[in-house]
Amino acid sequence: PDGKRIVTASADWTARVWDAQTGQPLTGPMKHDDSVISAQFSPDGKRIVTASWDGTARIWNAQTGDPLTTPMKHSHGVLLAEFSPDGKQIVTASGTNAYVWNAQTGNIVAILQGHTGFITSARFNPDGRRVETASWDGTVRLWNVETRKQIPWSLEHPTGGVLSAEFSPDGKRIVTASYDRTACVWDALTGKLVAGPMKHDAGVNSAQFSPDGKLILTASSDETARVWDAQTGQPVTPPLKHNGWVISAQFSPDGKRIGTASYDGTADIWDMPIQHLLPEPLKYDSNVTSAQFSPDGSRIVTASRDYTARVWDAWTGQPLPEPPMKHKSTVISAQFSPDGKLIVTASLDHTARVWNAESGQPLPEPPMTHGDTVRSAQFSPDGKRIITVSSTNAYIWNVQKGTLLAALQGHKRLVYDAQFSPDGKWIVTASADSTARVWDAQTNQPLSGPPLQAQNVVYSAQFSPDGKRIVTASADGTAQVWDARTYQPLTPPLIHDDGVRSAQFSPNGKKVVTASWDGTARVWDAGTGQPLTRPMKLGHGVYSAQFSPDGRWIVTDTGNNVQVWDSQSGQPLTEPMAYSAHPQFSPDGEQIVTARGYTVLVWDIAPVSSKVPDWLLPLAEAISGYSLNQDSVPVPTELDRAKKLNQIRQELNKLSHNDGWTVWGRWFLANPATRTISPFSQMTVPQYIQECIQEDTTNSLDEAEILAFGNSNLLQQIEAAQQALEQNTNSPPRL
């Protein structure tokens, strides 16, 4: 517990204590008659308990290595032994039973019986009054140590044995790791699922809470360890990769590091936070037409003019190993199913196709064939149907069979958009014939009554989150909110000075954001139709505007750049993200993926939502040399600016937490020549410069030259690359 010694358990039938600084043995071997499976210090560090295949657990003096009690005998090999938090008791696991022992005498206190499979884990809760046991029978059981009875609930992984179970630091939750490739967080009082499943690609060998209980660390036979948010079950770092099964992963006591052990013969130490990656661009040899996150945010699917769709790791930017999903012409869009297991693509080759998202293989049915270009393809909310748009019709298909269920016919000109309602019972279509229509998704018939009528092309139509309203966007310069059943307008027209390209409800349905060719995006009250903010002015026609998943932010797309805005004030939160288009928020709203030209980029959003830290204003004052007086007028600061900057740097480095502001502050005050390319990236500036040099284009070398300012070695490399490029392309020399 004091970090000065290490105890090891070995197949050589011994456990040993070592000096953690020198690696020298401190005791003689603590001997069993078979392999020693586990060894653990007592909470005060004075004793050690070992578990062995020889059917015994034994207690030893941690200073001398001498036995303190007679062996605690079992009828089978002992898989593990652990002290209670107060050190007075020990729990062991052997066969299908767990046993509680007096840690002073080695006498048995209780036998915990009830599992039908071998017990893989047995642990005390933080107050020592309960014991949880996990078993190959797929269940976790909770026992009252004093009464020796099982508490009447159990957690169940029905498709795989539970390999470990551990309490959170406050004892209110349990995290389980299972052979079924998942880890789950459960309420320790009710047994109800709280978060997860957190999915790996092979069995999960262990799962552990961080010391503050906010994170989960898992180790898996898929050769990775992963860190997850304990509240949401979403990944918060890229995978920690080995070249063999990761058998164990553990947080350091202060939560700042992670240790992993693998069958590849290595143990690794990782610093926390392992930053969110801002990956290299996902590079294509042809223009990218769309990019979308998977429902869990771990993957990105892209569509391209090279006739393919591809899946990428959202953390590393690396293509996943399955082959590209190939069409015979440009792929216009690609979208994950709601459960992330399938992908649907739409193509200029007149087909839509469904693919296995893991293997990249098409489902065995033939493609969904149309008579013209397929402009879009989307899953229904339950993932069982697909709606496609082609020519003047929309089509509904069975996902598994690939068979046509219905053709929605009634529009006289091109259909631009088709959307399911949130409950999947209705469909709305938008058309160049200046109408939108609502259809019963069960009968595939339009609702009675006239369609929703505009004065020009209707580009988009979308249901509200409750499915009771529809908002349309029209080339006549208006958006309109309608009653989805009566077709009656519910607000006055939402007026722009040019055509409205898109309109979208906020996640709570109380607002609408519109994007227009007049160069603005606007936020409106969805109930009254009144503007809620000043126009968000972009200077170019706006293709789309969409809310973040929590409704706090809006991202706009002009086709040339993407920008993020505050949905409450309409003020910009970022500079325009140049050379980006087709934006989409990640499921957690903390990143945006964009696609334009030959690249796909993932952008981290600055920590604007949390409380502004106390050090930020002094930092701004030290950087700018000014402070604000009582009249909010800038006046020269009286700070010792260099001293203040150094003080803030030291304060940030001492902080144990790693929220977005702290990570940003450390990055901002780091050496610009050697720091990472963004606060949430792992790639350093020198590494990125080398990537630019290797890319060997005029633009990449120009960017490298700017970033390498002051570094003579890198500038020489860049100059040589520029000269070689000019000679190869016969371009005029640089001035």
Side-chain angles (χ1 to χ4, degrees):
D2 62 6
K4 296 180 179 180
R5 293 167 295 162
I6 291 170
V7 63
T8 57
S10 172
D12 69 1
W13 299 14
T14 70
R16 299 173 189 253
V17 179
W18 313 79
D19 187 297
Q21 297 297 320
T22 67
Q24 297 301 308
L26 295 177
T27 67
M30 294 169 276
K31 295 181 180 179
H32 278 263
D33 297 324
D34 206 330
S35 295
V36 182
I37 307 304
S38 77
Q40 186 197 69
F41 282 100
S42 60
D44 61 7
K46 296 180 179 180
R47 292 165 294 162
I48 289 169
V49 64
T50 55
S52 170
W53 283 128
D54 67 6
T56 69
R58 303 177 188 234
I59 305 171
W60 312 81
N61 184 306
Q63 300 297 324
T64 65
D66 296 327
L68 294 177
T69 67
T70 57
M72 295 173 277
K73 295 182 179 180
H74 303 67
S75 56
H76 298 85
V78 185
L79 186 63
L80 58 90
E82 179 180 291
F83 282 98
S84 61
D86 61 7
K88 294 181 179 180
Q89 293 182 315
I90 289 170
V91 64
T92 60
S94 176
T96 59
N97 299 330
Y99 303 82
V100 180
W101 308 79
N102 184 303
Q104 300 298 322
T105 64
N107 294 328
I108 194 164
V109 174
I111 302 176
L112 310 180
Q113 298 174 305
H115 284 288
T116 58
F118 283 113
I119 292 178
T120 57
S121 174
R123 301 198 189 286
F124 287 95
N125 74 337
D127 65 14
R129 299 172 61 186
R130 297 182 179 185
V131 168
E132 56 80 7
T133 55
S135 168
W136 268 107
D137 64 15
T139 68
V140 176
R141 300 170 186 262
L142 196 60
W143 311 80
N144 186 305
V145 175
E146 294 178 358
T147 65
R148 307 174 189 179
K149 293 182 179 180
Q150 182 184 339
I151 294 171
W153 65 257
S154 66
L155 315 178
E156 187 171 359
H157 282 258
T159 59
V162 181
L163 301 181
S164 80
E166 181 174 310
F167 283 99
S168 60
D170 60 8
K172 295 180 179 180
R173 293 165 294 163
I174 292 173
V175 62
T176 56
S178 173
Y179 189 71
D180 68 7
R181 304 184 180 187
T182 70
C184 294
V185 180
W186 313 80
D187 188 301
L189 296 178
T190 65
K192 293 182 178 180
L193 184 67
V194 173
M198 295 165 274
K199 296 180 180 179
H200 278 264
D201 296 326
V204 183
N205 299 314
S206 71
Q208 180 195 73
F209 283 96
S210 59
D212 61 7
K214 294 181 179 180
L215 300 174
I216 299 287
L217 174 63
T218 54
S220 170
S221 297
D222 68 4
E223 303 185 352
T224 70
R226 298 174 188 248
V227 184
W228 314 77
D229 186 296
Q231 297 296 323
T232 66
Q234 295 299 310
V236 297
T237 70
L240 316 182
K241 294 183 178 180
H242 281 266
N243 293 315
W245 292 3
V246 182
I247 303 306
S248 71
Q250 186 183 54
F251 285 102
S252 61
D254 61 7
K256 294 182 179 180
R257 289 167 295 163
I258 286 172
T260 55
S262 169
Y263 269 165
D264 66 9
T266 67
D268 283 332
I269 305 297
W270 313 75
D271 281 323
M272 284 292 291
I274 302 154
Q275 306 290 11
H276 291 254
L277 291 179
L278 182 64
E280 297 178 65
L282 317 184
K283 294 178 181 177
Y284 267 95
D285 295 327
S286 185
N287 284 339
V288 183
T289 56
S290 78
Q292 187 199 58
F293 281 100
S294 60
D296 65 3
S298 65
R299 294 165 293 162
I300 292 170
V301 62
T302 56
S304 171
R305 295 186 187 276
D306 69 359
Y307 300 4
T308 70
R310 300 170 190 258
V311 179
W312 310 76
D313 188 303
W315 298 114
T316 66
Q318 296 301 307
L320 294 179
E322 62 265 13
M325 296 165 273
K326 293 183 179 179
H327 278 264
K328 296 179 181 180
S329 187
T330 295
V331 182
I332 295 175
S333 70
Q335 182 193 71
F336 282 98
S337 60
D339 62 6
K341 295 180 179 180
L342 301 175
I343 289 169
V344 63
T345 53
S347 173
L348 291 181
D349 67 8
H350 298 190
T351 69
R353 303 198 72 143
V354 180
W355 313 77
N356 183 299
E358 295 295 330
S359 68
Q361 296 299 313
L363 293 193
E365 290 71 27
M368 295 170 274
T369 303
H370 303 65
D372 202 346
T373 295
V374 183
R375 282 190 294 281
S376 73
Q378 297 187 36
F379 285 96
S380 59
D382 62 6
K384 296 180 179 180
R385 293 165 292 166
I386 287 171
I387 189 165
T388 59
V389 170
S390 179
S391 188
T392 61
N393 301 325
Y395 301 88
I396 304 175
W397 307 80
N398 179 289
V399 169
Q400 294 300 322
K401 297 180 179 179
T403 54
L404 180 64
L405 299 176
L408 309 184
Q409 299 173 319
H411 287 289
K412 298 176 181 179
R413 297 178 64 188
L414 289 178
V415 175
Y416 280 101
D417 191 22
Q419 301 276 341
F420 280 98
S421 61
D423 60 9
K425 295 181 178 179
W426 309 93
I427 292 168
V428 63
T429 54
S431 170
D433 65 9
S434 304
T435 68
R437 294 175 180 265
V438 182
W439 311 74
D440 187 315
Q442 305 301 316
T443 66
N444 306 314
Q445 296 299 311
L447 296 190
S448 59
L452 312 180
Q453 187 71 50
Q455 301 302 312
N456 206 325
V457 172
V458 180
Y459 288 117
S460 74
Q462 186 199 61
F463 284 97
S464 59
D466 61 8
K468 295 180 180 180
R469 293 164 294 159
I470 290 169
V471 63
T472 56
S474 172
D476 66 9
T478 69
Q480 182 74 63
V481 179
W482 310 79
D483 187 295
R485 302 295 177 266
T486 67
Y487 289 0
Q488 295 300 307
L490 297 177
T491 66
L494 315 181
I495 299 175
H496 279 264
D497 296 328
D498 204 337
V500 180
R501 190 63 183 83
S502 77
Q504 184 195 69
F505 283 100
S506 60
N508 64 8
K510 295 181 179 180
K511 300 177 184 178
V512 167
V513 63
T514 54
S516 170
W517 294 127
D518 68 7
T520 69
R522 303 179 187 231
V523 181
W524 312 80
D525 187 300
T528 66
Q530 296 301 306
L532 294 177
T533 68
R534 292 182 177 180
M536 293 169 269
K537 296 181 180 180
L538 291 105
H540 299 278
V542 188
Y543 282 95
S544 70
Q546 59 179 285
F547 286 98
S548 61
D550 59 10
R552 291 179 294 174
W553 304 326
I554 290 168
V555 63
T556 56
D557 175 19
T558 67
N560 293 310
N561 60 62
V562 165
Q563 194 163 5
V564 181
W565 308 75
D566 182 276
S567 66
Q568 298 293 324
S569 65
Q571 296 299 309
L573 296 176
T574 69
E575 294 295 320
M577 305 174 204
Y579 206 67
S580 296
H582 307 297
Q584 191 213 18
F585 281 102
S586 60
D588 61 10
E590 294 182 357
Q591 293 176 313
I592 290 173
V593 62
T594 63
R596 190 173 187 272
Y598 294 177
T599 63
V600 176
L601 296 168
V602 179
W603 307 78
D604 282 301
I605 299 175
V608 296
S609 59
S610 57
K611 179 181 179 292
V612 175
D614 294 337
W615 51 263
L616 188 61
L617 188 58
L619 175 64
E621 187 174 341
I623 293 292
S624 67
Y626 288 89
S627 64
L628 297 177
N629 64 16
Q630 293 180 347
D631 299 321
S632 297
V633 175
V635 295
T637 181
E638 297 180 0
L639 283 177
D640 182 329
R641 296 168 64 189
K643 182 178 179 180
K644 174 54 70 173
L645 287 174
N646 190 49
Q647 178 185 340
I648 295 172
R649 183 183 292 109
Q650 292 177 358
E651 289 177 1
L652 290 173
N653 289 334
K654 289 179 181 178
L655 291 176
S656 59
H657 52 81
N658 292 291
D659 61 281
W661 275 118
T662 303
V663 171
W664 178 87
R666 290 172 182 157
W667 174 86
F668 183 80
L669 292 171
N671 185 342
T674 58
R675 67 186 180 189
T676 55
I677 58 173
S678 85
F680 303 97
S681 173
Q682 285 188 331
M683 182 181 289
T684 65
V685 169
Q687 289 171 332
Y688 184 71
I689 291 172
Q690 291 295 341
E691 293 282 345
C692 291
I693 295 172
Q694 291 174 15
E695 188 175 337
D696 198 27
T697 65
T698 301
N699 288 336
S700 70
L701 293 175
D702 285 346
E703 184 176 6
E705 188 174 19
I706 294 171
L707 292 172
F709 179 78
N711 188 321
S712 58
N713 290 332
L714 284 174
L715 288 173
Q716 289 176 6
Q717 292 182 48
I718 296 165
E719 183 179 4
Q722 289 171 336
Q723 291 174 353
L725 182 63
E726 289 164 2
Q727 292 173 359
N728 292 335
T729 59
N730 295 318
S731 58
R734 294 167 179 267
L735 300 180

